[in-house]
Structure formats: C-alpha cells, structure tokens
C-alpha cells in the first residue's frame, strides 16, 4: 500500500472570476497540514484537511461571488510524478461563521468515473485543473473549501480489516470569503461532520477495481451525502 506523499493530490490554488493568478495553497493551508500524505483512518482527527487544526495563516482573503465558476488547479509538473492513483473527487464547503470548532460540511460538487473521461484523477492529470460551481444561495461570509481526492487503488478491503488496504483520502483546504449571490440562510439539513460522514463499507469506498483500474461494469457512485443543489 502506498502511504507516501503524492504531489498529484495537492492543489496549487484556486482561481476566481477569471483571475490568471491562482494563489498557492501553501499560503492559505491550515498550519500543521500534513503535506501530501494520505489518510486511510476514517476516524482520524486530521481527516477533514489533513491537519491537526484549522489555524489558518493570516493572508489576504480570496473573495468569490455566489453562483460563479472557479478553477481548482494543480502543479502540472507534479502531475507526472508518483504512482498513478485512481478515484473520484468531492468538493465541500463549511461556514466559519461560528468559528472552526465542530465545523459542519456540505458537498457542492463531485466527479467520479465515466467511460469517456475515466476517473476524476485522470482528468486532473490530463487537464491540471477542475472547474467547480459555487452555490448561488450561500450567506455572505467566510468558508473553508475542501477539495477531496479519493484513491481506490487499494479499496478492495477496508483499512480496519487489513491495515495495508483501504481507500486513501487526500484533502486540501482553503479559506475564502463569499461576497455575493442570493445571500440566503445557511441550510440546516444535510450537514455532516468530518470525520463522521463516511463509513468504510460505503458504496463507492469499498470497491474492487479491475486490472485496468476501472470500476466493475464501468459503473460507479461517488460516496458522500446528497449534493447541496440536490437538497433544495
């Protein structure tokens, strides 16, 4: 089981409103972030952002307008290094209006597997970026954006059943401000805690990939709670 760092899974930054300068994620990651090492323990206190806490450095805030598209970017040179992991991506948000203790998260996007494009990780290696849609109904305020890449290479068994197996989670978090949109109230239903949102036996996490690295029957369901736009 590969447990060493993989630069393919660490985002370089996010770009809003067509800006050409994607801020480097290391400038706005929580302190004590675990570099590029994956997490397989679904109960780990570091599960949310691969960090022991949410002590973000004081940096210039990144502002986004509700409803706009933004780009999650990777270092293109790093994409060619390390093992070629296979799996889906999830995009999450959590409001920090009440601080960073006991954050409640909701999913705003996902990318799984298609016969045409392969896995989300294949798209990342090919394009170096993913396009994510910001919900247009969020309250104005500060949020933590969490990009999650799940490697299913060793997902044929759970990590609890075999410590050398299990889905591996690579999450990066950035803090930014939503400064527009419909400014509705924060939803109270469908919010989850991280850790706590996943079970090791969830559909989409316990998967035997084929020898070609594909899901059985070329069909796959991304794990996680309902997307934000599906709960309206």
């Amino acid at each position: 089981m590969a447990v060493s760092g993989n630069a393919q899974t660490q985002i370089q930054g996010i770009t809003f409103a067509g800006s050409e300068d994607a801020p480097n994620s290391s400038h706005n990651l929580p302190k004590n972030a675990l570099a590029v090492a994956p997490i397989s323990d679904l109960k780990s206190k570091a599960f949310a952002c691969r960090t022991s806490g949410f002590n973000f450095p004081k940096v210039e805030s990144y502002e986004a307008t509700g409803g706009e598209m933004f780009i999650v970017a990777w270092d293109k040179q790093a994409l060619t290094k390390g093992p070629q992991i296979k799996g889906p991506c999830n995009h999450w948000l959590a409001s920090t209006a009440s601080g960073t203790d006991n954050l409640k998260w909701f999913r705003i996007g996902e990318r799984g597997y298609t016969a045409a494009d392969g896995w989300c990780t294949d798209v990342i290696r090919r394009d170096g970026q993913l396009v994510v849609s910001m919900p247009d109904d969020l309250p104005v305020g500060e949020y933590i954006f969490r990009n999650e890449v799940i490697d299913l290479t060793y997902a044929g068994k759970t990590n609890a059943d075999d410590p050398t197996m299990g889905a591996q989670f690579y999450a990066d978090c950035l803090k930014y401000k939503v400064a527009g949109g419909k400014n509705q109230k924060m939803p109270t239903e469908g919010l989850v805690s991280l850790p706590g949102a996943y079970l090791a036996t969830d559909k989409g996490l316990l998967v035997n990939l084929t020898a070609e690295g594909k899901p059985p029957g070329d069909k796959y369901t991304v794990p996680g709670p309902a997307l934000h736009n599906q709960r309206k």
Side-chain angles (χ1 to χ4, degrees):
M1 180 179 185
V3 294
S4 59
N6 188 333
Q8 299 173 50
T9 61
Q10 187 175 43
I11 61 176
Q12 183 182 42
I14 52 180
T15 306
F16 297 115
S19 170
E20 294 182 357
D21 298 319
N24 189 293
S25 63
S26 63
H27 295 166
N28 203 22
L29 283 171
K31 293 180 180 178
N32 303 319
L34 302 177
V36 292
I39 290 179
S40 295
D41 180 2
L42 300 184
K43 297 180 181 179
S44 170
K45 293 182 179 180
F47 184 82
C49 296
R50 288 190 288 173
T51 177
S52 57
F54 293 97
N55 184 14
F56 285 85
K58 292 183 179 180
V59 297
E60 182 179 355
S61 62
Y62 313 135
E63 291 195 356
T65 300
E68 75 172 283
M69 309 293 284
F70 64 97
I71 295 172
V72 184
W74 278 258
D75 183 336
K76 290 185 178 180
Q77 291 184 344
L79 296 177
T80 62
K81 302 176 182 179
Q84 300 296 295
I85 67 174
K86 297 287 185 179
C89 304
N90 273 319
H91 310 298
W92 302 74
L93 283 180
S95 170
T96 62
S98 299
T100 55
D101 293 331
N102 302 314
L103 287 172
K104 297 300 180 182
W105 299 85
F106 53 98
R107 283 200 313 149
I108 63 169
E110 67 178 28
R111 187 151 192 162
Y113 177 89
T114 66
D117 294 329
W119 290 104
C120 177
T121 50
D122 297 322
V123 176
I124 292 171
R125 278 190 293 272
R126 185 186 69 227
D127 300 340
Q129 64 183 35
L130 295 174
V131 179
V132 182
S133 178
M134 177 74 67
D136 64 359
D137 58 350
L138 298 177
V140 169
E142 292 189 344
Y143 292 81
I144 296 176
F145 169 72
R146 177 179 184 267
N147 184 78
E148 175 185 74
V149 177
I150 306 174
D151 180 16
L152 300 177
T153 305
Y154 301 93
K157 293 183 179 180
T158 69
N159 184 252
D161 290 336
D162 184 341
T164 68
M165 300 289 284
Q168 296 186 29
F169 292 78
Y170 298 82
D172 282 322
C173 294
L174 292 167
K175 190 175 183 180
Y176 62 85
K177 184 182 296 182
V178 173
K182 297 178 182 178
N183 195 24
Q184 297 182 358
K185 291 184 179 180
M186 177 61 64
T188 57
E189 296 183 1
L191 303 180
V192 298
S193 298
L194 293 172
Y198 293 120
L199 295 176
T201 54
D202 282 349
K203 185 177 182 180
L205 291 185
L206 187 59
V207 181
N208 274 304
L209 300 186
T210 67
E212 295 78 23
K214 300 178 180 180
D218 278 4
K219 296 181 179 180
Y220 179 77
T221 300
V222 179
L227 292 171
H228 176 72
N229 62 3
Q230 295 175 345
R231 292 190 283 104
K232 298 178 183 179

PDB file of all heavy atoms in Angstrom, residues 4-18:
ATOM      1  N   SER A   4       3.121   7.013   1.074  1.00  0.00           N
ATOM      2  CA  SER A   4       3.966   8.190   0.965  1.00  0.00           C
ATOM      3  C   SER A   4       3.222   9.304   0.256  1.00  0.00           C
ATOM      4  O   SER A   4       2.170   9.108  -0.330  1.00  0.00           O
ATOM      5  CB  SER A   4       5.240   7.845   0.189  1.00  0.00           C
ATOM      6  OG  SER A   4       4.933   7.382  -1.097  1.00  0.00           O
ATOM      7  N   GLY A   5       3.795  10.517   0.302  1.00  0.00           N
ATOM      8  CA  GLY A   5       3.146  11.662  -0.303  1.00  0.00           C
ATOM      9  C   GLY A   5       3.015  11.520  -1.809  1.00  0.00           C
ATOM     10  O   GLY A   5       3.814  10.878  -2.459  1.00  0.00           O
ATOM     11  N   ASN A   6       2.005  12.159  -2.344  1.00  0.00           N
ATOM     12  CA  ASN A   6       1.768  12.131  -3.776  1.00  0.00           C
ATOM     13  C   ASN A   6       1.392  13.538  -4.214  1.00  0.00           C
ATOM     14  O   ASN A   6       0.326  14.037  -3.886  1.00  0.00           O
ATOM     15  CB  ASN A   6       0.641  11.151  -4.099  1.00  0.00           C
ATOM     16  CG  ASN A   6       0.479  10.941  -5.591  1.00  0.00           C
ATOM     17  OD1 ASN A   6       0.806  11.807  -6.384  1.00  0.00           O
ATOM     18  ND2 ASN A   6      -0.038   9.793  -5.969  1.00  0.00           N
ATOM     19  N   ALA A   7       2.288  14.178  -4.965  1.00  0.00           N
ATOM     20  CA  ALA A   7       2.062  15.569  -5.358  1.00  0.00           C
ATOM     21  C   ALA A   7       0.884  15.721  -6.307  1.00  0.00           C
ATOM     22  O   ALA A   7       0.387  16.824  -6.515  1.00  0.00           O
ATOM     23  CB  ALA A   7       3.322  16.140  -6.008  1.00  0.00           C
ATOM     24  N   GLN A   8       0.408  14.617  -6.896  1.00  0.00           N
ATOM     25  CA  GLN A   8      -0.742  14.699  -7.791  1.00  0.00           C
ATOM     26  C   GLN A   8      -2.005  15.111  -7.036  1.00  0.00           C
ATOM     27  O   GLN A   8      -2.986  15.510  -7.642  1.00  0.00           O
ATOM     28  CB  GLN A   8      -0.989  13.346  -8.439  1.00  0.00           C
ATOM     29  CG  GLN A   8       0.152  12.824  -9.282  1.00  0.00           C
ATOM     30  CD  GLN A   8      -0.118  11.413  -9.743  1.00  0.00           C
ATOM     31  OE1 GLN A   8      -1.180  11.123 -10.264  1.00  0.00           O
ATOM     32  NE2 GLN A   8       0.829  10.531  -9.553  1.00  0.00           N
ATOM     33  N   THR A   9      -1.987  14.992  -5.717  1.00  0.00           N
ATOM     34  CA  THR A   9      -3.205  15.199  -4.948  1.00  0.00           C
ATOM     35  C   THR A   9      -3.217  16.514  -4.188  1.00  0.00           C
ATOM     36  O   THR A   9      -4.173  16.815  -3.500  1.00  0.00           O
ATOM     37  CB  THR A   9      -3.382  14.058  -3.936  1.00  0.00           C
ATOM     38  OG1 THR A   9      -2.268  14.067  -3.041  1.00  0.00           O
ATOM     39  CG2 THR A   9      -3.456  12.716  -4.642  1.00  0.00           C
ATOM     40  N   GLN A  10      -2.180  17.312  -4.279  1.00  0.00           N
ATOM     41  CA  GLN A  10      -2.130  18.568  -3.537  1.00  0.00           C
ATOM     42  C   GLN A  10      -2.403  19.730  -4.486  1.00  0.00           C
ATOM     43  O   GLN A  10      -1.669  19.955  -5.443  1.00  0.00           O
ATOM     44  CB  GLN A  10      -0.766  18.755  -2.871  1.00  0.00           C
ATOM     45  CG  GLN A  10      -0.734  19.967  -1.944  1.00  0.00           C
ATOM     46  CD  GLN A  10       0.573  20.076  -1.200  1.00  0.00           C
ATOM     47  OE1 GLN A  10       1.639  19.889  -1.770  1.00  0.00           O
ATOM     48  NE2 GLN A  10       0.511  20.366   0.083  1.00  0.00           N
ATOM     49  N   ILE A  11      -3.465  20.470  -4.218  1.00  0.00           N
ATOM     50  CA  ILE A  11      -3.822  21.560  -5.110  1.00  0.00           C
ATOM     51  C   ILE A  11      -2.829  22.703  -5.001  1.00  0.00           C
ATOM     52  O   ILE A  11      -2.249  22.964  -3.952  1.00  0.00           O
ATOM     53  CB  ILE A  11      -5.258  22.067  -4.843  1.00  0.00           C
ATOM     54  CG1 ILE A  11      -5.411  22.607  -3.412  1.00  0.00           C
ATOM     55  CG2 ILE A  11      -6.269  20.977  -5.116  1.00  0.00           C
ATOM     56  CD1 ILE A  11      -6.779  23.206  -3.153  1.00  0.00           C
ATOM     57  N   GLN A  12      -2.650  23.381  -6.117  1.00  0.00           N
ATOM     58  CA  GLN A  12      -1.771  24.539  -6.153  1.00  0.00           C
ATOM     59  C   GLN A  12      -2.525  25.790  -5.724  1.00  0.00           C
ATOM     60  O   GLN A  12      -1.967  26.693  -5.127  1.00  0.00           O
ATOM     61  CB  GLN A  12      -1.218  24.729  -7.567  1.00  0.00           C
ATOM     62  CG  GLN A  12      -0.220  25.884  -7.704  1.00  0.00           C
ATOM     63  CD  GLN A  12       0.260  26.043  -9.124  1.00  0.00           C
ATOM     64  OE1 GLN A  12      -0.533  25.948 -10.048  1.00  0.00           O
ATOM     65  NE2 GLN A  12       1.545  26.286  -9.307  1.00  0.00           N
ATOM     66  N   GLY A  13      -3.802  25.848  -6.035  1.00  0.00           N
ATOM     67  CA  GLY A  13      -4.592  27.008  -5.651  1.00  0.00           C
ATOM     68  C   GLY A  13      -5.932  27.010  -6.334  1.00  0.00           C
ATOM     69  O   GLY A  13      -6.294  26.062  -7.034  1.00  0.00           O
ATOM     70  N   ILE A  14      -6.701  28.055  -6.114  1.00  0.00           N
ATOM     71  CA  ILE A  14      -7.993  28.228  -6.753  1.00  0.00           C
ATOM     72  C   ILE A  14      -8.049  29.598  -7.406  1.00  0.00           C
ATOM     73  O   ILE A  14      -7.435  30.547  -6.930  1.00  0.00           O
ATOM     74  CB  ILE A  14      -9.162  28.062  -5.755  1.00  0.00           C
ATOM     75  CG1 ILE A  14      -8.957  28.953  -4.524  1.00  0.00           C
ATOM     76  CG2 ILE A  14      -9.314  26.613  -5.339  1.00  0.00           C
ATOM     77  CD1 ILE A  14     -10.081  28.844  -3.510  1.00  0.00           C
ATOM     78  N   THR A  15      -8.745  29.691  -8.517  1.00  0.00           N
ATOM     79  CA  THR A  15      -8.847  30.928  -9.266  1.00  0.00           C
ATOM     80  C   THR A  15     -10.311  31.341  -9.364  1.00  0.00           C
ATOM     81  O   THR A  15     -11.150  30.549  -9.778  1.00  0.00           O
ATOM     82  CB  THR A  15      -8.288  30.762 -10.690  1.00  0.00           C
ATOM     83  OG1 THR A  15      -6.959  30.246 -10.609  1.00  0.00           O
ATOM     84  CG2 THR A  15      -8.257  32.093 -11.423  1.00  0.00           C
ATOM     85  N   PHE A  16     -10.598  32.577  -8.967  1.00  0.00           N
ATOM     86  CA  PHE A  16     -11.954  33.104  -9.022  1.00  0.00           C
ATOM     87  C   PHE A  16     -12.077  34.150 -10.123  1.00  0.00           C
ATOM     88  O   PHE A  16     -11.128  34.870 -10.412  1.00  0.00           O
ATOM     89  CB  PHE A  16     -12.346  33.765  -7.691  1.00  0.00           C
ATOM     90  CG  PHE A  16     -12.369  32.830  -6.532  1.00  0.00           C
ATOM     91  CD1 PHE A  16     -11.492  32.977  -5.479  1.00  0.00           C
ATOM     92  CD2 PHE A  16     -13.284  31.789  -6.480  1.00  0.00           C
ATOM     93  CE1 PHE A  16     -11.514  32.123  -4.398  1.00  0.00           C
ATOM     94  CE2 PHE A  16     -13.321  30.921  -5.403  1.00  0.00           C
ATOM     95  CZ  PHE A  16     -12.435  31.087  -4.363  1.00  0.00           C
ATOM     96  N   ALA A  17     -13.259  34.220 -10.694  1.00  0.00           N
ATOM     97  CA  ALA A  17     -13.621  35.304 -11.616  1.00  0.00           C
ATOM     98  C   ALA A  17     -12.602  35.533 -12.717  1.00  0.00           C
ATOM     99  O   ALA A  17     -12.313  36.663 -13.090  1.00  0.00           O
ATOM    100  CB  ALA A  17     -13.831  36.605 -10.828  1.00  0.00           C
ATOM    101  N   GLY A  18     -12.021  34.444 -13.237  1.00  0.00           N
ATOM    102  CA  GLY A  18     -11.131  34.566 -14.371  1.00  0.00           C
ATOM    103  C   GLY A  18      -9.758  35.108 -14.067  1.00  0.00           C
ATOM    104  O   GLY A  18      -8.999  35.423 -14.973  1.00  0.00           O
TER     105      GLY A  18
END
